[in-house]
Amino acid sequence: PAAGVTMVGVLPSHRRKGILTKMMKIQLDDARARGESVAVLWASEDLIYQRFGYGMASVQGQINVERNRAAFLRDVGPIGRTRLVDIDEAVKILPSVYDRVAETTPGMFARSPEWWRHHRLRDPEDRRRGGGPLWRAVLEIDGRPEGYALYRVFSNWDGGVNTGYTHVEEAMGTNAQATREVWRFCFGIDLMERVKAWLLPPDHPLMLSMPEPTRLRFAQVDTFWLRLVDLGPALEARSYMGHGAVTFEVIDAFCPWNAGRWNLTATDGVGRVDQASGDPGLLMDITDLATTYLGAFSFTQLVRAGRVTELEDGAAARADALFRTSFAPWCPEIF
């Protein structure tokens, strides 16, 4: 359970009076009372939310590739069938793919049927930004949905030559093969000069599956921010790699119930958290622990950045081994 925070604002006439701070305090207290141990948001201004304990928990990738330079290494040719579907069919098919990807990807949130129909697949004119309608393509392999793409085309002609592009708004596959075939379809849409996309996972396999990865113009920017509302339950809610233990000294001025020394012990991937009395191995602010929570950044990186203090030799490495994830955290949608 997580609090999804969005559309936070203060009237221009009421700025610099502490109103935002009061609102955020009430919101975090409310989330804690509901049993939501973490809160997440997309920050329009990064600096603001760090004041309230949010840490940068993920980054997103962007691509802008010439369509005629998009190819695959060791390509064995296309498999499966890709077809376009209407909204009614998309609401029935796409969630099964999304949910299977979300099972192994930190940072993805559950979507209800209402969310799919009235938000993700909703296509009002003001969302098109001058492009065409939102198209919905489903990849089927052996008759089973294994991937999909949501995209729109931006047509433009210059001297009889099409200089438009396909904008991929969301695309994913349940495995490496399906992911490749979904992007094969997107790269194959005719009369487009380029293919663009953003909100991609930072470890997207396209970087390693194309003979000219530079052509992707792959760039990364910060996206998803996370706040540990209730530290103990939050750490016990996630899984860990293997066995081990580490003790944190945590500073949290905004939510003082999180401040203090905490011992994390992981056995067979399951974590147990207790308040500790012994010497801590790592000293950090709550924003630093939030930054490592989903696995986007390591404790060692934060030590090198001067944000986390390693008080015991090897503590950062032990924490890194526990918090490591097989896939980089990814939130595919702004909410």
Side-chain angles (χ1 to χ4, degrees):
V5 183
T6 188
M7 304 302 288
V8 180
V10 177
L11 289 172
S13 57
H14 290 66
R15 294 182 305 142
R16 311 297 184 261
K17 298 180 180 180
I19 295 174
L20 176 60
T21 299
K22 292 177 182 178
M23 286 198 301
M24 296 302 292
K25 185 67 170 66
I26 291 171
Q27 187 268 326
L28 289 171
D29 288 342
D30 184 50
R32 189 183 183 210
R34 290 198 307 269
E36 296 168 338
S37 59
V38 300
V40 290
L41 56 78
W42 292 74
S44 55
E45 293 187 67
D46 303 344
L47 189 61
I48 290 176
Y49 295 98
Q50 295 178 69
R51 291 162 36 199
F52 309 123
Y54 282 85
M56 180 173 58
S58 179
V59 296
Q60 59 137 326
Q62 304 177 0
I63 63 170
N64 181 354
V65 58
E66 302 120 310
R67 196 172 69 87
N68 63 357
R69 304 307 291 262
F72 296 102
L73 284 167
R74 304 168 191 169
D75 192 4
V76 297
I79 64 168
R81 179 182 72 145
T82 303
R83 61 189 181 91
L84 301 178
V85 298
D86 61 21
I87 289 181
D88 290 337
E89 192 171 6
V91 170
K92 296 177 182 177
I93 296 177
L94 271 54
S96 67
V97 175
Y98 179 93
D99 292 345
R100 289 159 66 191
V101 176
E103 285 179 1
T104 58
T105 308
M108 291 179 67
F109 60 87
R111 290 175 176 171
S112 66
E114 292 78 16
W115 186 279
W116 275 103
R117 181 179 293 276
H118 301 296
H119 188 77
R120 176 67 280 189
L121 298 175
R122 186 168 170 262
D123 188 33
E125 189 67 34
D126 60 0
R127 279 194 180 184
R128 298 182 178 182
R129 305 181 305 279
L134 183 70
W135 294 98
R136 302 156 296 272
V138 174
L139 168 72
E140 295 171 334
I141 299 176
D142 296 329
R144 183 184 184 188
E146 297 289 354
Y148 69 83
L150 306 176
Y151 68 95
R152 65 180 82 246
V153 297
F154 290 74
S155 293
N156 188 56
W157 294 85
D158 183 8
V161 177
N162 194 305
T163 57
Y165 63 91
T166 299
H167 185 265
V168 182
E169 303 212 346
E170 185 170 291
M172 62 184 73
T174 59
N175 53 46
Q177 189 179 59
T179 300
R180 184 193 65 209
E181 294 308 311
V182 165
W183 282 96
R184 186 194 303 277
F185 172 84
C186 295
F187 293 148
I189 297 172
D190 291 329
L191 297 179
M192 296 290 113
E193 181 181 52
R194 312 188 71 86
V195 176
K196 301 181 182 182
W198 64 306
L199 297 183
L200 298 176
D203 57 348
H204 202 292
L206 281 176
M207 278 293 291
L208 296 175
S209 60
M210 295 184 62
E212 296 181 284
T214 304
R215 295 285 181 177
L216 287 169
R217 293 176 174 83
F218 196 91
Q220 292 187 358
V221 297
D222 72 280
T223 53
F224 200 51
W225 291 71
L226 183 143
R227 212 297 176 196
L228 298 173
V229 178
D230 210 348
L231 185 150
L235 290 179
E236 290 185 345
R238 62 155 292 169
S239 59
Y240 297 90
M241 288 287 187
H243 310 269
V246 64
T247 301
F248 307 99
E249 175 86 33
V250 177
I251 301 167
D252 192 344
F254 201 67
C255 296
W257 56 82
N258 290 325
R261 294 182 183 179
W262 300 87
N263 186 68
L264 167 66
T265 304
T267 304
D268 294 328
V270 178
R272 188 184 75 252
V273 179
D274 305 291
Q275 288 193 302
S277 56
D279 294 335
L282 297 169
L283 171 64
M284 68 192 70
D285 188 82
I286 193 69
T287 59
D288 305 319
L289 191 54
T291 295
T292 64
Y293 182 73
L294 295 179
F297 301 96
S298 69
F299 292 92
T300 299
Q301 286 177 299
L302 292 181
V303 170
R304 292 176 62 191
R307 290 178 48 174
V308 169
T309 302
E310 188 175 38
L311 303 174
E312 176 191 353
D313 289 344
R318 291 202 311 275
D320 288 344
L322 293 176
F323 278 69
R324 182 175 59 85
T325 60
S326 297
F327 297 94
W330 175 42
C331 185
E333 181 182 12
I334 297 175
F335 53 81

